[in-house]
Amino acid sequence: MTKEDDKVVSRRKALTRIGGLALAAYSVPALTTLSAAHASSAPSPASAPSPASAPSDPSAPSDPSAPSEPSVPSEPSAPSEPSGPEVVTAEECEAGGGTVVTREDGVKVCQS
């Protein structure tokens, strides 16, 4: 081997050593904190409950309220219209001012 080859090999050895030292320097603190977590102390016991306080004095009764005004009876409501289509005859439709129309599906309907 030549001197140049020896220099390259010695540089590689030096870089390998530096890399190993750097790896150790970064990994040792991480490993020591893992062991520190197992060495922590146990939780403290719960404290005793405090004694109950004495009941407070009752408050004085409030004044009675005045009577309210009587309500007005409501008007009876109109009967509700049935929901959905209403079945009528052609005469009832025309008497109510509508016109009997046949839809595309063949059903006859009353239009107002």
Side-chain angles (χ1 to χ4, degrees), residues 42-85:
S44 62
S47 60
S50 60
S53 60
S56 60
D57 295 330
S59 60
S62 60
D63 296 332
S65 60
S68 61
E69 295 290 324
S71 61
V72 179
S74 62
E75 298 276 330
S77 61
S80 62
E81 303 230 355
S83 61

Side-chain angles (χ1 to χ4, degrees), residues 27-47:
S27 61
V28 168
L31 295 174
T32 57
T33 57
L34 290 175
S35 62
H38 294 291
S40 63
S41 64
S44 62
S47 60

Side-chain angles (χ1 to χ4, degrees), residues 9-31:
V9 172
S10 64
R11 285 181 190 160
R12 287 183 183 162
K13 284 183 183 178
L15 288 174
T16 304
R17 287 181 187 159
I18 291 172
L21 289 173
L23 179 66
Y26 282 108
S27 61
V28 168
L31 295 174

Side-chain angles (χ1 to χ4, degrees), residues 7 23 36 38 40 47-49 58 61 65 73 83 92 94 96-98 102-103 107 111:
K7 287 182 182 178
L23 179 66
H38 294 291
S40 63
S47 60
S65 60
S83 61
E92 291 174 334
E94 291 171 355
T102 305
R103 297 189 310 203
V107 177
Q111 283 188 332

Side-chain angles (χ1 to χ4, degrees), residues 93-110:
C93 177
E94 291 171 355
T99 308
V100 178
V101 179
T102 305
R103 297 189 310 203
E104 291 179 4
D105 58 358
V107 177
K108 294 184 179 185
V109 293
C110 180

